[in-house]
Each structure stands twice: as structure tokens, then as C-alpha cells.
Amino acid sequence: MESLHSQIDRIARARIFGRITRVEGLKIEVEGAGGALGLGTELEIEVAPQRRVAAEVVGLTDSRALALTLGELEGIKLGCRAFVGSHEVQLAPTDGWLGRIVNGLGQPIDGKGALPVGEPRPLRASPPQAHLRGRVGERIDLGVRALNNFITCCEGQRMGIFAGSGVGKSVLLSMMARFTEADVNVIGLIGERGREVKEFLEDDLGPEGLARSVVVIATSNEPALVRRRAAYVTMAIAEHFRDQGLKVLCLIDSITRFAMAQREIGLSCGEPPTTKGYTPTVFAELPRLLERAGPGEAGMGGSVTGLFTVLVDGDDMNEPIADAARGILDGHIVMERAIAERGRYPAINVLKSISRTMPNCNSEAEQQLIRLARRSMATYDDMAELIRLGAYTKGADKEVDQAIAYQPHFDQFLNQMKDDQSDIQTGFRQLLMILSTYQLK
């Protein structure tokens, strides 16, 4: 009987497959497979006896399944067999993933060997039910003065960082990855330039930051499915550590490139373009992804504090993705090119930024300092053009005179080098010193 069992075990299991009947652009049509294909089903396309290309079903029409590959299209031809795989993509992260770098499919790319395997969890999980979720926790120290003291963030909050290209989003993310008081960092670089990845890991994040982080990388040259999946992998890893009761900082750069990948997938499947070419599924997927960040279920203790960059098109803060993300997130941090051009980094416009957990997370005395400082900056901003042209006469308005006296000191306060860490209390002491020392009599 043992010999018989051994022979039975060696018999290859039957596998269901369909055939490639059409390849159009990035889209592959598969027929057959006996109705075993559904949305999200994984496929293995047999290109050659020793080469298979992974793909995923992204649409269904009549008797055919529409699929996109997770690899290169080269070599795929009509009649190729497409073997049916798993119907639900899963990930199995463990605490042993700390300090590791994985690709958009959750596979190691750091040369440190195989990843340990934990309990499988769905890649596209649903967020905790709203009535079961805990509330956001205490304020969290991000290590950046402009954020700590003017746009205070709490544990479990979700914030967007809105900026055009080249304004300093990645550097700001690296500062928060190194300075934030969190147990674990999970960093997703979605559609990132390949050249910048190494620089981010070695110069910005550094060995100390990497040791308590898991980094997910999908560069801009990779297929749209891989770039989209990288965002889901990032959130699944963050949820694993959250369920261990840990405080997780989840950084994704950028949500816009995730949306672009989803648009590419939708257009390939024949979905109609709507707002500026973005398909309806883009605006359906954004909340499904972003709502996964936040507090876990009440009493579990873990949370995912999410900071997501939004690459605004043409520096237009009201473009479709920025507008949609702003309505989902719990606050927004606006970075402006004009501030960066003046040499102040991080180039955060605190007057246009907001945290929806303020003022409840600060004391009344701290809020009073913030109100006075913001009022003075707003006054200066209103009169800035007249002041630069020399059209304002000193003494015409005492409040404007006071704003002019404060402005260089506020600029110095908000300016911070990427290796300079600042805690919340030190920031409030410096703010109090400015407001009391440079007040006009």
C-alpha cells in the first residue's frame, strides 16, 4: 500500500488551462478553461517549455477572459496555454520581514535569501468595519517642526502630502521614516525612478531606518499590474504588524502613480475614460486602498498611521486624483514649488495645510501659539506683494509691521535640514520664544 500511495503522489495533478486567442496592446484574451476564470484569478502563460509568464484576469466578456501580464509580453503567441492558478492572491508576511526589500509581488530583491513565511492573508483585504474601529490615538512625533507644530498628526491618522515633481516629497518621507516614533515602518515606492531607489535606501533611509522597515519597490518600468499590486502588498504588510498590536508608519510614494497604473489597466480592458482620462475604477479603488490605513479594531492596540504622497499634475492642487484623495484622507500637507525656489526646505505651506485631528490633540496654550503664528503668517502673505514692491509704508498698520518682524524668524523655524530632528515640545518652546522676543512694543 505504501508503494501504491507513493506512485499516486507522483501522478501530476490535473490543471485547467485555456488558450490565448488574441493579443491587443497590453491586453490578452483567453478562451476555454471551463468557466474556471474569474476576476483576480492568477494565470501562468506557457510561452516555452521552460518559460512561463504570470498574468492576472482583470476583465470578463462573453466567453473570454481579459488578462494583463505581470511580466514581459515578448514570446506570447496565439494558442499558448494559460494555466489557471489561485483565485485569491495572498501574502504571508512575518516579523522576519523587517529590514528586507521586496518587489511589487512580495518577492525578495535584496539578495538576503528567501523570506520567512507566515500566516497567509488576502492581498486586497477590507478595512475594519467602521463601528468596530478604534479612535485615533495620541499625537505622534514626526520629527519635522512644520508638521509637529502646525499640522499635528495622531496615531492612526491618514495624511496626504501634495506636491509637484521635484519639490522634495521623497526627502520629507525619508525624514519621517527615520524620525517618527513608530515600532515599524512599511514603505511603498510605487512607480519610482529606478535611479532614485538606491539613493533613497542608502542616503535618505540609511541602515538604521531600514532595520525597522519593510520596503516595497515597483519602479516605473514595471507593468501596471505590478505597480498596482505593490500598493496592496504595502498595505497587507502594514496590516500584519498592526494586528500584532504595533504602531505602524505606512508611507506610500505615490498614490498618483497607483492611480495611473489603475487607469492603464482600466483603459486596456475597454473601460471608458472620464475625468482627465481616469477611469471610474480609479476612484473606486482609491478609498478601498486608503481606508485600510488607520486604527485597528478597538481593544487590539495596533494602528497604521498612513502618509501618502500625491503627485499633483502641473502643480494643480485641484486635479482629479488630488481632489479625490483630499476628500478621503484626514488632512493634507501642501508643498509648494515657490517655497522650494526660495531655498526653504521642507517646502511646506502651513497656511494651506490642515490636520483634521487638530485642535483636539494639543493643549489650549499650544493652540494659542499656533493661532498667533498662523495669523501673523497669513497677514504677511496677504501683503507680501506690496512689501516686495516697496509699496507698503512702515507704520501704516501695526499688525502688518509685526508680521514683517516675525517673518524671517518663522522662515528660519520652518527650515529644517534632512538630518536635523526636532521633537514637538522643543518646537513649541522655539515658537513661544519667537512670539515673545520679537513682539513690537
Side-chain angles (χ1 to χ4, degrees):
M1 288 297 292
E2 290 181 5
S3 175
L4 179 61
H5 288 160
S6 177
Q7 292 180 43
I8 292 172
D9 289 339
R10 285 199 296 270
I11 297 174
R13 292 179 174 85
R15 295 199 65 184
I16 300 173
F17 66 88
R19 296 276 185 181
I20 304 297
T21 58
R22 187 176 183 182
V23 179
E24 182 180 1
L26 301 174
K27 179 179 66 178
I28 297 170
E29 294 186 6
V30 181
E31 285 191 4
L37 298 176
L39 287 176
T41 301
E42 291 188 306
L43 299 174
E44 281 188 346
I45 301 172
E46 189 179 52
V47 178
Q50 301 299 323
R51 180 175 171 239
R52 293 188 176 185
V53 176
E56 181 181 320
V57 176
V58 294
L60 300 168
T61 175
D62 299 327
S63 60
R64 295 162 295 164
L66 309 179
L68 296 178
T69 65
L70 294 162
E72 299 296 332
L73 280 167
E74 281 75 11
I76 295 177
K77 51 187 177 291
L78 298 180
C80 283
R81 294 191 295 180
F83 290 92
V84 178
S86 171
H87 294 283
E88 182 181 23
V89 183
Q90 293 186 323
L91 196 70
T94 73
D95 296 352
W97 286 31
L98 281 174
R100 301 299 301 271
I101 303 170
V102 301
N103 62 14
L105 305 178
Q107 301 165 342
I109 55 173
D110 53 8
K112 297 180 181 179
L115 292 166
V117 178
E119 191 71 25
R121 60 187 311 123
L123 200 63
R124 300 177 68 174
S126 298
Q129 295 183 44
H131 67 286
L132 298 178
R133 293 191 91 146
R135 300 185 62 171
V136 294
E138 299 295 323
R139 64 185 180 186
I140 186 170
D141 191 338
L142 299 175
V144 182
R145 281 190 294 272
L147 303 181
N148 281 344
N149 302 112
F150 285 97
I151 319 157
T152 314
C153 182
C154 293
E155 292 173 11
Q157 189 172 347
R158 300 162 304 165
M159 296 281 282
I161 302 172
F162 296 74
S165 58
V167 182
K169 299 183 304 299
S170 297
V171 175
L172 180 59
L173 281 183
S174 71
M175 292 172 69
M176 292 187 287
R178 284 180 288 126
F179 300 153
T180 301
E181 293 178 346
D183 299 318
V184 176
N185 299 327
V186 182
I187 304 169
L189 303 179
I190 315 300
E192 193 61 76
R193 302 176 187 90
R195 175 190 61 80
E196 292 184 346
V197 170
K198 196 78 170 176
E199 296 174 5
F200 177 84
L201 294 173
E202 294 182 355
D203 300 339
D204 296 334
L205 189 59
E208 185 180 344
L210 181 59
R212 64 184 184 115
S213 304
V214 182
V215 183
V216 182
I217 296 172
T219 52
S220 58
N221 62 295
E222 299 195 57
L225 271 181
V226 176
R227 283 178 273 135
R228 184 184 72 171
R229 188 177 289 191
Y232 297 139
V233 168
T234 303
M235 290 305 309
I237 297 171
E239 288 167 337
H240 161 76
F241 288 107
R242 180 202 66 195
D243 293 345
Q244 309 302 312
L246 300 177
K247 298 173 183 176
V248 183
L249 178 67
C250 179
L251 308 173
I252 293 184
D253 183 17
S254 72
I255 291 300
T256 304
R257 294 192 179 109
F258 165 81
M260 288 177 174
Q262 180 62 50
R263 175 176 64 181
E264 189 175 328
I265 293 166
L267 291 174
S268 297
C269 296
E271 198 177 352
T274 52
T275 311
K276 285 198 173 180
Y278 287 102
T279 56
T281 52
V282 171
F283 302 101
E285 287 295 324
L286 275 176
R288 289 185 62 185
L289 176 73
L290 299 177
E291 282 287 349
R292 291 170 67 177
E297 291 190 6
M300 297 294 289
S303 65
V304 177
T305 303
L307 290 156
F308 310 103
T309 68
V310 180
L311 182 63
V312 295
D313 188 16
D315 291 342
D316 178 11
M317 295 297 169
N318 295 314
E319 59 92 26
I321 300 303
D323 203 40
R326 196 162 45 239
I328 299 166
L329 298 170
D330 304 321
H332 49 271
I333 299 161
V334 177
M335 302 183 73
E336 288 192 349
R337 195 175 303 278
I339 297 175
E341 289 170 350
R342 293 205 306 267
R344 196 191 88 197
Y345 293 97
I348 299 170
N349 187 326
V350 297
L351 295 177
K352 293 183 179 179
S353 305
I354 190 170
S355 169
R356 292 194 172 98
T357 59
M358 292 178 67
N360 297 333
C361 59
N362 293 323
S363 69
E364 182 55 38
E366 290 167 342
Q367 277 302 121
Q368 182 67 16
L369 286 177
I370 295 168
R371 280 193 291 268
L372 290 173
R374 289 178 71 98
R375 179 176 175 179
S376 177
M377 284 189 275
T379 300
Y380 184 88
D381 193 58
D382 290 341
M383 300 294 292
E385 196 66 31
L386 293 177
I387 295 168
R388 280 194 292 268
L389 292 172
Y392 174 74
T393 304
K394 186 178 179 180
D397 189 312
K398 184 177 180 180
E399 190 171 349
V400 176
D401 292 343
Q402 183 68 77
I404 294 172
Y406 282 147
Q407 190 59 30
H409 306 288
F410 286 145
D411 262 348
Q412 186 178 1
F413 174 83
L414 295 172
N415 191 62
Q416 186 173 342
M417 302 302 290
K418 71 176 186 179
D419 295 320
D420 177 21
Q421 183 175 0
S422 176
D423 63 84
I424 294 177
Q425 292 304 327
T426 300
F428 277 119
R429 284 196 295 270
Q430 292 174 346
L431 203 56
L432 176 60
M433 185 178 295
I434 292 170
L435 290 169
S436 57
T437 304
Y438 302 101
Q439 186 172 5
L440 297 178
K441 303 301 182 184

